[in-house]
Amino acid sequence: MISFLACSFILLTFSMALLISYEFREKLRLYFHDGISQFKSKLFSAKQFAHQMNEAASPDQIQSHWHLQQWWILIAGFFLFSSILLYAFTRPITASSIEADYLKKTDPQIYAMLEGQILDVPQELDESLVQEAVNDAIALENNTASIAAAHISPVLHINTDDEDLVEHQHSDIASADRKWNKINPRYKQRLLMVFKIMREQHGYEMVLLEGYRSPDRQNTLAQNVNTTRARGYQSYHQFGLAADVAFKRNDKVVISERDPWAMRGYELYGQTAETVGLTWGGRWKSLQDYGHTEYRMPGLKKTREMAEQLTSEGQLQARQMSIKAAAHMP
């Protein structure tokens, strides 16, 4: 409102000065007259130059107008260079494109397997489906109480290496992290490729039960010796290089390997995961963890600094995308 009043006042002042002062009106008339004359002169010069350029393009003017013909080369080069810049600065910047650049540099093997096609993460799993799956698994296991306790629990387990495998309790699934943002792209794209193959070739829809696991959560779980002996930074989960998965059937999540359909799916899952360089928990000599895979990255040092670096790379790419997108805004 204040801006409107200020503009109205300035316009009114200008109008009053124009009506009252003869000298002001005369100067304004001369200014526009001179401006129009100069514009006509420049327009005439531009027309002459355009005519000369058009004439110079004629094949029979090569010898006499060669210096003008160089302008055509410069003009064509300018538009070509401008189109390249326009594409570079206006092409869409997505998390996928940034992740592709990252994988091409740090993990050319998986980049080559993907053929440059970066896979998108699926929709986050509804927590109500997880709780329902837990209830179904408990009911199924109660019907098979004669099975040894080590083989009753659902597929989700915590581990470090083969000799440290122990069962994971139902109650721990609810507090698991099912987001993809802290899963390192080197492992994430391998896992998503497995998801894609399982869906397209075997008809199994995969879901993420737990990806990244914080060291605090790992230490809390380690307080129960029946859950895990692995403490913080001893599991690949802390590095964003491991995940526990299950299946989705008829809009319901199945987490128990006691289900024959799910058990067959885990076998196919393990075989597929191994083809893309992942380690499958179903091959372990101790308690098998059928839904667990991990990427044993060469040269990995299990330290807090390495865990923070690997889990933050996906988030760093998202921040870089935001910065680049903001820089391209007018």
Side-chain angles (χ1 to χ4, degrees), residues 233 303-310:
Y233 304 114
T303 63
R304 180 174 62 115
E305 292 75 18
M306 181 61 71
E308 291 176 351
Q309 175 185 334
L310 293 178

Side-chain angles (χ1 to χ4, degrees), residues 29-40:
R29 185 186 66 80
L30 292 174
Y31 174 79
F32 279 107
H33 182 271
D34 294 340
I36 293 174
S37 299
Q38 291 180 6
F39 174 76
K40 289 182 178 179

Side-chain angles (χ1 to χ4, degrees), residues 38 70 93 111 113 121 128 159 205 221 272 278 318:
Q38 291 180 6
Q70 307 308 309
I93 300 175
Y111 183 80
M113 294 172 65
V121 300
S128 63
N159 58 78
E205 190 73 26
L221 295 174
T272 305
L278 298 180

Side-chain angles (χ1 to χ4, degrees), residues 27 56 65 87 96 111 137 164 193 221 254 275 290 302:
K27 287 182 179 180
H65 292 75
Y87 171 76
S96 295
Y111 183 80
D164 287 332
M193 182 182 291
L221 295 174
V254 181
T275 64
Y290 296 104
K302 289 188 174 181

Side-chain angles (χ1 to χ4, degrees), residues 262-283:
M263 190 60 219
R264 175 55 181 163
Y266 286 126
E267 294 174 353
L268 294 171
Y269 171 67
Q271 296 170 10
T272 305
E274 290 172 337
T275 64
V276 299
L278 298 180
T279 299
W280 178 45
R283 299 285 185 204

Side-chain angles (χ1 to χ4, degrees), residues 12-22 24-25:
L12 179 61
T13 303
F14 180 81
S15 301
M16 292 297 294
L18 185 64
L19 292 172
I20 296 173
S21 176
Y22 170 81
F24 181 73
R25 293 199 304 272

Side-chain angles (χ1 to χ4, degrees), residues 164-232:
D164 287 332
L165 300 181
V166 287
E167 65 175 315
H168 195 104
Q169 302 299 322
H170 291 292
S171 59
D172 297 324
I173 299 177
S175 57
D177 188 341
R178 278 175 273 280
K179 293 183 172 58
W180 292 80
N181 60 329
K182 287 190 177 182
I183 299 180
N184 188 271
R186 308 185 197 197
Y187 172 65
K188 179 172 68 175
Q189 287 300 317
R190 284 177 166 85
L191 184 61
L192 289 173
M193 182 182 291
V194 175
F195 277 27
K196 185 174 186 290
I197 294 173
M198 288 293 294
R199 181 177 63 255
E200 294 180 353
Q201 297 186 13
H202 304 298
Y204 281 88
E205 190 73 26
M206 310 293 296
V207 296
L208 178 68
L209 284 182
E210 182 169 20
Y212 169 76
R213 183 183 297 142
S214 70
D216 291 338
R217 171 174 161 79
Q218 187 77 41
N219 289 330
T220 300
L221 295 174
Q223 294 175 4
N224 184 348
V225 295
N226 294 321
T227 301
T228 181
R229 296 187 295 272
R231 300 194 66 84

